[in-house]
PDB file of all heavy atoms in Angstrom:
ATOM      1  N   GLY A1403       0.812  -1.221   0.005  1.00 93.00           N
ATOM      2  CA  GLY A1403      -0.006   0.006   0.004  1.00 93.00           C
ATOM      3  C   GLY A1403       0.845   1.255   0.000  1.00 93.00           C
ATOM      4  O   GLY A1403       0.586   2.207  -0.734  1.00 93.00           O
ATOM      5  N   ALA A1404       1.901   1.262   0.820  1.00 97.00           N
ATOM      6  CA  ALA A1404       2.787   2.442   0.878  1.00 97.00           C
ATOM      7  C   ALA A1404       3.557   2.606  -0.428  1.00 97.00           C
ATOM      8  O   ALA A1404       3.777   3.746  -0.884  1.00 97.00           O
ATOM      9  CB  ALA A1404       3.774   2.306   2.047  1.00 97.00           C
ATOM     10  N   LEU A1405       3.948   1.503  -1.052  1.00 96.00           N
ATOM     11  CA  LEU A1405       4.620   1.581  -2.354  1.00 96.00           C
ATOM     12  C   LEU A1405       3.692   2.240  -3.393  1.00 96.00           C
ATOM     13  O   LEU A1405       4.131   3.074  -4.192  1.00 96.00           O
ATOM     14  CB  LEU A1405       5.008   0.195  -2.815  1.00 96.00           C
ATOM     15  CG  LEU A1405       6.172  -0.477  -2.079  1.00 96.00           C
ATOM     16  CD1 LEU A1405       6.302  -1.931  -2.495  1.00 96.00           C
ATOM     17  CD2 LEU A1405       7.481   0.266  -2.296  1.00 96.00           C
ATOM     18  N   ALA A1406       2.437   1.878  -3.369  1.00 96.00           N
ATOM     19  CA  ALA A1406       1.468   2.463  -4.314  1.00 96.00           C
ATOM     20  C   ALA A1406       1.325   3.965  -4.078  1.00 96.00           C
ATOM     21  O   ALA A1406       1.208   4.752  -5.031  1.00 96.00           O
ATOM     22  CB  ALA A1406       0.120   1.763  -4.202  1.00 96.00           C
ATOM     23  N   VAL A1407       1.318   4.364  -2.816  1.00 98.00           N
ATOM     24  CA  VAL A1407       1.201   5.779  -2.493  1.00 98.00           C
ATOM     25  C   VAL A1407       2.404   6.549  -3.085  1.00 98.00           C
ATOM     26  O   VAL A1407       2.262   7.613  -3.697  1.00 98.00           O
ATOM     27  CB  VAL A1407       1.080   6.000  -0.985  1.00 98.00           C
ATOM     28  CG1 VAL A1407       1.141   7.474  -0.625  1.00 98.00           C
ATOM     29  CG2 VAL A1407      -0.211   5.387  -0.463  1.00 98.00           C
ATOM     30  N   HIS A1408       3.597   5.999  -2.878  1.00 98.00           N
ATOM     31  CA  HIS A1408       4.774   6.723  -3.400  1.00 98.00           C
ATOM     32  C   HIS A1408       4.848   6.685  -4.924  1.00 98.00           C
ATOM     33  O   HIS A1408       5.305   7.645  -5.546  1.00 98.00           O
ATOM     34  CB  HIS A1408       6.055   6.148  -2.812  1.00 98.00           C
ATOM     35  CG  HIS A1408       7.255   6.998  -3.064  1.00 98.00           C
ATOM     36  ND1 HIS A1408       7.363   8.288  -2.545  1.00 98.00           N
ATOM     37  CD2 HIS A1408       8.393   6.795  -3.796  1.00 98.00           C
ATOM     38  CE1 HIS A1408       8.524   8.838  -2.943  1.00 98.00           C
ATOM     39  NE2 HIS A1408       9.170   7.934  -3.709  1.00 98.00           N
ATOM     40  N   ALA A1409       4.390   5.587  -5.510  1.00 97.00           N
ATOM     41  CA  ALA A1409       4.337   5.526  -6.971  1.00 97.00           C
ATOM     42  C   ALA A1409       3.412   6.611  -7.522  1.00 97.00           C
ATOM     43  O   ALA A1409       3.720   7.245  -8.533  1.00 97.00           O
ATOM     44  CB  ALA A1409       3.861   4.144  -7.429  1.00 97.00           C
ATOM     45  N   LEU A1410       2.299   6.833  -6.841  1.00 98.00           N
ATOM     46  CA  LEU A1410       1.401   7.920  -7.239  1.00 98.00           C
ATOM     47  C   LEU A1410       2.117   9.255  -7.127  1.00 98.00           C
ATOM     48  O   LEU A1410       2.030  10.117  -8.029  1.00 98.00           O
ATOM     49  CB  LEU A1410       0.162   7.917  -6.328  1.00 98.00           C
ATOM     50  CG  LEU A1410      -0.819   9.076  -6.504  1.00 98.00           C
ATOM     51  CD1 LEU A1410      -1.415   9.076  -7.898  1.00 98.00           C
ATOM     52  CD2 LEU A1410      -1.896   9.016  -5.428  1.00 98.00           C
ATOM     53  N   ARG A1411       2.873   9.460  -6.048  1.00 98.00           N
ATOM     54  CA  ARG A1411       3.611  10.708  -5.884  1.00 98.00           C
ATOM     55  C   ARG A1411       4.605  10.922  -7.017  1.00 98.00           C
ATOM     56  O   ARG A1411       4.703  12.024  -7.581  1.00 98.00           O
ATOM     57  CB  ARG A1411       4.328  10.702  -4.528  1.00 98.00           C
ATOM     58  CG  ARG A1411       5.146  11.952  -4.230  1.00 98.00           C
ATOM     59  CD  ARG A1411       5.796  11.833  -2.872  1.00 98.00           C
ATOM     60  NE  ARG A1411       6.639  13.007  -2.552  1.00 98.00           N
ATOM     61  CZ  ARG A1411       7.301  13.142  -1.416  1.00 98.00           C
ATOM     62  NH1 ARG A1411       7.244  12.186  -0.490  1.00 98.00           N
ATOM     63  NH2 ARG A1411       8.036  14.233  -1.204  1.00 98.00           N
ATOM     64  N   ARG A1412       5.347   9.874  -7.356  1.00 97.00           N
ATOM     65  CA  ARG A1412       6.337   9.996  -8.419  1.00 97.00           C
ATOM     66  C   ARG A1412       5.672  10.255  -9.773  1.00 97.00           C
ATOM     67  O   ARG A1412       6.238  10.960 -10.624  1.00 97.00           O
ATOM     68  CB  ARG A1412       7.194   8.738  -8.474  1.00 97.00           C
ATOM     69  CG  ARG A1412       8.128   8.599  -7.276  1.00 97.00           C
ATOM     70  CD  ARG A1412       8.909   7.318  -7.273  1.00 97.00           C
ATOM     71  NE  ARG A1412       9.769   7.189  -8.431  1.00 97.00           N
ATOM     72  CZ  ARG A1412      10.899   6.426  -8.453  1.00 97.00           C
ATOM     73  NH1 ARG A1412      11.261   5.791  -7.333  1.00 97.00           N
ATOM     74  NH2 ARG A1412      11.615   6.331  -9.538  1.00 97.00           N
ATOM     75  N   ALA A1413       4.488   9.722  -9.954  1.00 97.00           N
ATOM     76  CA  ALA A1413       3.822   9.867 -11.251  1.00 97.00           C
ATOM     77  C   ALA A1413       3.231  11.251 -11.461  1.00 97.00           C
ATOM     78  O   ALA A1413       3.263  11.787 -12.566  1.00 97.00           O
ATOM     79  CB  ALA A1413       2.718   8.806 -11.379  1.00 97.00           C
ATOM     80  N   VAL A1414       2.692  11.852 -10.392  1.00 98.00           N
ATOM     81  CA  VAL A1414       1.976  13.141 -10.566  1.00 98.00           C
ATOM     82  C   VAL A1414       2.770  14.324 -10.089  1.00 98.00           C
ATOM     83  O   VAL A1414       2.421  15.492 -10.359  1.00 98.00           O
ATOM     84  CB  VAL A1414       0.610  13.121  -9.861  1.00 98.00           C
ATOM     85  CG1 VAL A1414      -0.236  11.962 -10.369  1.00 98.00           C
ATOM     86  CG2 VAL A1414       0.743  13.043  -8.337  1.00 98.00           C
ATOM     87  N   GLY A1415       3.873  14.097  -9.320  1.00 97.00           N
ATOM     88  CA  GLY A1415       4.659  15.206  -8.796  1.00 97.00           C
ATOM     89  C   GLY A1415       4.163  15.642  -7.428  1.00 97.00           C
ATOM     90  O   GLY A1415       3.018  15.418  -7.047  1.00 97.00           O
ATOM     91  N   ASP A1416       5.059  16.289  -6.659  1.00 98.00           N
ATOM     92  CA  ASP A1416       4.738  16.623  -5.285  1.00 98.00           C
ATOM     93  C   ASP A1416       3.547  17.554  -5.145  1.00 98.00           C
ATOM     94  O   ASP A1416       2.707  17.392  -4.246  1.00 98.00           O
ATOM     95  CB  ASP A1416       5.960  17.246  -4.601  1.00 98.00           C
ATOM     96  CG  ASP A1416       6.938  16.210  -4.112  1.00 98.00           C
ATOM     97  OD1 ASP A1416       6.771  15.009  -4.459  1.00 98.00           O
ATOM     98  OD2 ASP A1416       7.862  16.566  -3.359  1.00 98.00           O
ATOM     99  N   ASP A1417       3.461  18.580  -5.990  1.00 98.00           N
ATOM    100  CA  ASP A1417       2.371  19.550  -5.842  1.00 98.00           C
ATOM    101  C   ASP A1417       1.021  18.869  -5.979  1.00 98.00           C
ATOM    102  O   ASP A1417       0.118  19.042  -5.153  1.00 98.00           O
ATOM    103  CB  ASP A1417       2.502  20.681  -6.849  1.00 98.00           C
ATOM    104  CG  ASP A1417       3.662  21.612  -6.548  1.00 98.00           C
ATOM    105  OD1 ASP A1417       4.201  21.550  -5.414  1.00 98.00           O
ATOM    106  OD2 ASP A1417       4.032  22.423  -7.430  1.00 98.00           O
ATOM    107  N   ALA A1418       0.846  18.112  -7.037  1.00 98.00           N
ATOM    108  CA  ALA A1418      -0.428  17.423  -7.261  1.00 98.00           C
ATOM    109  C   ALA A1418      -0.660  16.362  -6.201  1.00 98.00           C
ATOM    110  O   ALA A1418      -1.797  16.184  -5.706  1.00 98.00           O
ATOM    111  CB  ALA A1418      -0.465  16.794  -8.657  1.00 98.00           C
ATOM    112  N   PHE A1419       0.404  15.651  -5.819  1.00 98.00           N
ATOM    113  CA  PHE A1419       0.260  14.578  -4.827  1.00 98.00           C
ATOM    114  C   PHE A1419      -0.270  15.112  -3.503  1.00 98.00           C
ATOM    115  O   PHE A1419      -1.259  14.581  -2.967  1.00 98.00           O
ATOM    116  CB  PHE A1419       1.616  13.893  -4.630  1.00 98.00           C
ATOM    117  CG  PHE A1419       1.630  12.868  -3.544  1.00 98.00           C
ATOM    118  CD1 PHE A1419       1.037  11.624  -3.741  1.00 98.00           C
ATOM    119  CD2 PHE A1419       2.257  13.120  -2.326  1.00 98.00           C
ATOM    120  CE1 PHE A1419       1.057  10.658  -2.736  1.00 98.00           C
ATOM    121  CE2 PHE A1419       2.277  12.170  -1.318  1.00 98.00           C
ATOM    122  CZ  PHE A1419       1.680  10.930  -1.518  1.00 98.00           C
ATOM    123  N   PHE A1420       0.365  16.116  -2.960  1.00 98.00           N
ATOM    124  CA  PHE A1420      -0.081  16.614  -1.651  1.00 98.00           C
ATOM    125  C   PHE A1420      -1.420  17.355  -1.781  1.00 98.00           C
ATOM    126  O   PHE A1420      -2.188  17.399  -0.804  1.00 98.00           O
ATOM    127  CB  PHE A1420       1.005  17.456  -1.001  1.00 98.00           C
ATOM    128  CG  PHE A1420       2.146  16.611  -0.480  1.00 98.00           C
ATOM    129  CD1 PHE A1420       3.391  16.628  -1.099  1.00 98.00           C
ATOM    130  CD2 PHE A1420       1.962  15.773   0.591  1.00 98.00           C
ATOM    131  CE1 PHE A1420       4.437  15.855  -0.645  1.00 98.00           C
ATOM    132  CE2 PHE A1420       2.996  14.962   1.076  1.00 98.00           C
ATOM    133  CZ  PHE A1420       4.245  15.001   0.462  1.00 98.00           C
ATOM    134  N   SER A1421      -1.709  17.900  -2.931  1.00 98.00           N
ATOM    135  CA  SER A1421      -3.050  18.451  -3.154  1.00 98.00           C
ATOM    136  C   SER A1421      -4.105  17.365  -3.120  1.00 98.00           C
ATOM    137  O   SER A1421      -5.200  17.535  -2.565  1.00 98.00           O
ATOM    138  CB  SER A1421      -3.112  19.187  -4.493  1.00 98.00           C
ATOM    139  OG  SER A1421      -2.336  20.362  -4.473  1.00 98.00           O
ATOM    140  N   ILE A1422      -3.774  16.200  -3.684  1.00 98.00           N
ATOM    141  CA  ILE A1422      -4.696  15.059  -3.622  1.00 98.00           C
ATOM    142  C   ILE A1422      -4.946  14.657  -2.186  1.00 98.00           C
ATOM    143  O   ILE A1422      -6.106  14.458  -1.773  1.00 98.00           O
ATOM    144  CB  ILE A1422      -4.141  13.874  -4.458  1.00 98.00           C
ATOM    145  CG1 ILE A1422      -4.194  14.187  -5.946  1.00 98.00           C
ATOM    146  CG2 ILE A1422      -4.904  12.592  -4.138  1.00 98.00           C
ATOM    147  CD1 ILE A1422      -3.417  13.199  -6.797  1.00 98.00           C
ATOM    148  N   LEU A1423      -3.880  14.526  -1.414  1.00 98.00           N
ATOM    149  CA  LEU A1423      -4.047  14.057  -0.014  1.00 98.00           C
ATOM    150  C   LEU A1423      -4.848  15.048   0.800  1.00 98.00           C
ATOM    151  O   LEU A1423      -5.772  14.674   1.534  1.00 98.00           O
ATOM    152  CB  LEU A1423      -2.675  13.817   0.615  1.00 98.00           C
ATOM    153  CG  LEU A1423      -1.762  12.774  -0.020  1.00 98.00           C
ATOM    154  CD1 LEU A1423      -0.671  12.370   0.953  1.00 98.00           C
ATOM    155  CD2 LEU A1423      -2.525  11.544  -0.473  1.00 98.00           C
ATOM    156  N   ARG A1424      -4.510  16.327   0.701  1.00 98.00           N
ATOM    157  CA  ARG A1424      -5.220  17.324   1.511  1.00 98.00           C
ATOM    158  C   ARG A1424      -6.666  17.466   1.056  1.00 98.00           C
ATOM    159  O   ARG A1424      -7.577  17.619   1.884  1.00 98.00           O
ATOM    160  CB  ARG A1424      -4.488  18.661   1.436  1.00 98.00           C
ATOM    161  CG  ARG A1424      -3.179  18.670   2.218  1.00 98.00           C
ATOM    162  CD  ARG A1424      -2.595  20.085   2.329  1.00 98.00           C
ATOM    163  NE  ARG A1424      -2.055  20.518   1.051  1.00 98.00           N
ATOM    164  CZ  ARG A1424      -0.776  20.382   0.688  1.00 98.00           C
ATOM    165  NH1 ARG A1424       0.087  19.783   1.492  1.00 98.00           N
ATOM    166  NH2 ARG A1424      -0.366  20.824  -0.486  1.00 98.00           N
ATOM    167  N   GLY A1425      -6.901  17.423  -0.238  1.00 98.00           N
ATOM    168  CA  GLY A1425      -8.260  17.538  -0.730  1.00 98.00           C
ATOM    169  C   GLY A1425      -9.109  16.326  -0.374  1.00 98.00           C
ATOM    170  O   GLY A1425     -10.288  16.443  -0.021  1.00 98.00           O
ATOM    171  N   TRP A1426      -8.518  15.151  -0.481  1.00 98.00           N
ATOM    172  CA  TRP A1426      -9.218  13.915  -0.159  1.00 98.00           C
ATOM    173  C   TRP A1426      -9.667  13.893   1.307  1.00 98.00           C
ATOM    174  O   TRP A1426     -10.819  13.588   1.608  1.00 98.00           O
ATOM    175  CB  TRP A1426      -8.313  12.724  -0.450  1.00 98.00           C
ATOM    176  CG  TRP A1426      -8.808  11.389   0.019  1.00 98.00           C
ATOM    177  CD1 TRP A1426      -8.354  10.672   1.067  1.00 98.00           C
ATOM    178  CD2 TRP A1426      -9.818  10.588  -0.604  1.00 98.00           C
ATOM    179  NE1 TRP A1426      -9.011   9.467   1.164  1.00 98.00           N
ATOM    180  CE2 TRP A1426      -9.927   9.408   0.161  1.00 98.00           C
ATOM    181  CE3 TRP A1426     -10.650  10.773  -1.707  1.00 98.00           C
ATOM    182  CZ2 TRP A1426     -10.827   8.391  -0.178  1.00 98.00           C
ATOM    183  CZ3 TRP A1426     -11.567   9.758  -2.025  1.00 98.00           C
ATOM    184  CH2 TRP A1426     -11.635   8.586  -1.270  1.00 98.00           C
ATOM    185  N   THR A1427      -8.763  14.244   2.208  1.00 98.00           N
ATOM    186  CA  THR A1427      -9.130  14.216   3.631  1.00 98.00           C
ATOM    187  C   THR A1427     -10.133  15.305   3.986  1.00 98.00           C
ATOM    188  O   THR A1427     -10.871  15.183   4.969  1.00 98.00           O
ATOM    189  CB  THR A1427      -7.863  14.350   4.509  1.00 98.00           C
ATOM    190  OG1 THR A1427      -7.192  15.570   4.198  1.00 98.00           O
ATOM    191  CG2 THR A1427      -6.935  13.169   4.299  1.00 98.00           C
ATOM    192  N   THR A1428     -10.170  16.361   3.191  1.00 98.00           N
ATOM    193  CA  THR A1428     -11.176  17.407   3.415  1.00 98.00           C
ATOM    194  C   THR A1428     -12.529  17.007   2.853  1.00 98.00           C
ATOM    195  O   THR A1428     -13.558  17.101   3.538  1.00 98.00           O
ATOM    196  CB  THR A1428     -10.726  18.738   2.785  1.00 98.00           C
ATOM    197  OG1 THR A1428      -9.495  19.163   3.370  1.00 98.00           O
ATOM    198  CG2 THR A1428     -11.779  19.815   2.943  1.00 98.00           C
ATOM    199  N   GLU A1429     -12.535  16.533   1.625  1.00 97.00           N
ATOM    200  CA  GLU A1429     -13.804  16.195   0.966  1.00 97.00           C
ATOM    201  C   GLU A1429     -14.499  15.017   1.623  1.00 97.00           C
ATOM    202  O   GLU A1429     -15.717  14.980   1.696  1.00 97.00           O
ATOM    203  CB  GLU A1429     -13.556  15.894  -0.526  1.00 97.00           C
ATOM    204  CG  GLU A1429     -14.821  15.627  -1.315  1.00 97.00           C
ATOM    205  CD  GLU A1429     -14.576  15.543  -2.804  1.00 97.00           C
ATOM    206  OE1 GLU A1429     -14.215  16.597  -3.382  1.00 97.00           O
ATOM    207  OE2 GLU A1429     -14.718  14.461  -3.376  1.00 97.00           O
ATOM    208  N   ARG A1430     -13.747  14.069   2.092  1.00 97.00           N
ATOM    209  CA  ARG A1430     -14.318  12.851   2.685  1.00 97.00           C
ATOM    210  C   ARG A1430     -14.319  12.856   4.208  1.00 97.00           C
ATOM    211  O   ARG A1430     -14.620  11.838   4.833  1.00 97.00           O
ATOM    212  CB  ARG A1430     -13.518  11.637   2.181  1.00 97.00           C
ATOM    213  CG  ARG A1430     -13.708  11.364   0.700  1.00 97.00           C
ATOM    214  CD  ARG A1430     -15.031  10.698   0.440  1.00 97.00           C
ATOM    215  NE  ARG A1430     -15.286  10.511  -0.968  1.00 97.00           N
ATOM    216  CZ  ARG A1430     -16.242   9.707  -1.453  1.00 97.00           C
ATOM    217  NH1 ARG A1430     -16.993   9.037  -0.629  1.00 97.00           N
ATOM    218  NH2 ARG A1430     -16.421   9.602  -2.762  1.00 97.00           N
ATOM    219  N   ARG A1431     -14.025  13.962   4.807  1.00 98.00           N
ATOM    220  CA  ARG A1431     -13.950  14.050   6.261  1.00 98.00           C
ATOM    221  C   ARG A1431     -15.250  13.549   6.920  1.00 98.00           C
ATOM    222  O   ARG A1431     -16.355  13.847   6.465  1.00 98.00           O
ATOM    223  CB  ARG A1431     -13.695  15.484   6.682  1.00 98.00           C
ATOM    224  CG  ARG A1431     -13.560  15.680   8.190  1.00 98.00           C
ATOM    225  CD  ARG A1431     -13.110  17.089   8.521  1.00 98.00           C
ATOM    226  NE  ARG A1431     -13.017  17.293   9.964  1.00 98.00           N
ATOM    227  CZ  ARG A1431     -12.421  18.338  10.548  1.00 98.00           C
ATOM    228  NH1 ARG A1431     -11.872  19.277   9.781  1.00 98.00           N
ATOM    229  NH2 ARG A1431     -12.372  18.435  11.855  1.00 98.00           N
ATOM    230  N   ASP A1432     -15.087  12.736   7.957  1.00 98.00           N
ATOM    231  CA  ASP A1432     -16.211  12.168   8.736  1.00 98.00           C
ATOM    232  C   ASP A1432     -17.032  11.152   7.977  1.00 98.00           C
ATOM    233  O   ASP A1432     -18.096  10.744   8.448  1.00 98.00           O
ATOM    234  CB  ASP A1432     -17.132  13.276   9.260  1.00 98.00           C
ATOM    235  CG  ASP A1432     -16.467  14.199  10.263  1.00 98.00           C
ATOM    236  OD1 ASP A1432     -15.485  13.762  10.896  1.00 98.00           O
ATOM    237  OD2 ASP A1432     -16.923  15.341  10.402  1.00 98.00           O
TER     238      ASP A1432
END
């Protein structure tokens, strides 16, 4: 699972990757 997360990071770049994480935890909160 962690390997897949980092593969996603390498594929989309840091800016998009951390935008995905922050947006996901905001949109799906609770």
Side-chain angles (χ1 to χ4, degrees):
L1405 289 171
V1407 173
H1408 192 63
L1410 174 64
R1411 179 180 179 180
R1412 290 176 62 155
V1414 303
D1416 279 10
D1417 289 347
F1419 174 75
F1420 287 109
S1421 291
I1422 289 169
L1423 300 197
R1424 287 189 288 266
W1426 172 253
T1427 58
T1428 298
E1429 184 171 293
R1430 291 283 176 165
R1431 182 172 178 167
D1432 294 336

